Amino acid sequence: MDDMLIPAAGTPGSRDSPARAARDRAEPAAGAETGDTATCAADPADPAEAVDEVAAAVVAALGDDLDGGFVVLYDAYRTPVFSTALRLCGRWAEAEDLAAEAFLRAYRALLGYEPGRIAELRPRAWLLTILMNLWRNSRRGAARKPPPGPLEAAPDPADPAEGVEAAAARHETGRELAGLLAQLPEAQRAAVVLRHAADLPIAEIAAVLDVPEGTVKSHISRGLARLRKLHDSKGAPHAF
């Protein structure tokens, strides 16, 4: 099942943007005084340290200038936020709205934060906590509305550079995965998506969901077991 969860969804508006330029300016500044140690810190063999560097650059940019720093924040985290939203709700348009609302709420919150609170921010976990709360609220609201159309009615937008066969395979996999994830209990779905779509470590998932790490591990284990069972019940060949 893990192989089905690894492919991250693309994000809309992935072309070069002012956000990317702002992030490029901010990242060197985060390690400007470290000399040769900056090269070691950026070693791709240590992804956790690379994530910490991104977070440090974002927090530093927010501390220098809130508006400019928010551009850096958006550019750094738009992919995990959108990918998580898409795996949670299963529909591209809803994921766009959910991610946009999460960043809007984040900006409004930052306007009221003191410098000390910004300095202690863990931006990725903080953004995904906002997103998770919005998703839960949307599910409660959806329960009082007519059911939406099937997941198949909202495929991912086509990539002009992608071949026909690759696009068809991606769409089929994404549609199947969305359908399977939708059948998980909310707690298991959230934990599995945060671990395998957002690629968060257990400790960070625990912070986002506000539960003990042991509970997170249990939700992930049970969620993956249920996904495998659901997948097998369809008679499809194992991809994991």
Side-chain angles (χ1 to χ4, degrees), residues 49-101:
E49 191 140 352
V51 169
D52 288 343
E53 285 190 350
V54 172
V58 168
V59 169
L62 288 169
D64 290 340
D65 172 57
L66 183 59
D67 288 339
F70 187 78
V71 173
V72 180
L73 174 87
Y74 172 78
D75 200 32
Y77 296 112
R78 61 181 180 179
T79 294
V81 168
F82 178 77
S83 182
T84 301
L86 183 59
R87 295 309 181 205
L88 286 172
C89 65
R91 294 176 175 84
W92 188 278
E94 290 183 23
E96 286 184 323
D97 291 343
L98 199 62
E101 182 66 19

Side-chain angles (χ1 to χ4, degrees), residues 27-151:
E27 286 179 343
E33 297 179 359
T34 61
D36 293 339
T37 59
T39 302
C40 298
D43 186 349
D46 191 349
E49 191 140 352
V51 169
D52 288 343
E53 285 190 350
V54 172
V58 168
V59 169
L62 288 169
D64 290 340
D65 172 57
L66 183 59
D67 288 339
F70 187 78
V71 173
V72 180
L73 174 87
Y74 172 78
D75 200 32
Y77 296 112
R78 61 181 180 179
T79 294
V81 168
F82 178 77
S83 182
T84 301
L86 183 59
R87 295 309 181 205
L88 286 172
C89 65
R91 294 176 175 84
W92 188 278
E94 290 183 23
E96 286 184 323
D97 291 343
L98 199 62
E101 182 66 19
F103 278 108
L104 178 61
R105 297 286 183 94
Y107 181 75
R108 289 174 175 170
L110 285 168
L111 290 175
Y113 282 9
E114 297 293 332
R117 186 171 183 182
I118 292 177
E120 296 175 356
L121 202 63
R122 297 171 61 190
R124 183 173 67 169
W126 176 66
L127 282 170
L128 291 175
T129 300
I130 295 172
L131 178 73
M132 196 62 59
N133 289 336
L134 287 170
W135 174 65
R136 287 169 175 154
N137 291 338
S138 71
R139 282 173 58 85
R140 297 187 188 101
R144 298 188 292 268
K145 299 178 182 178
L151 295 175

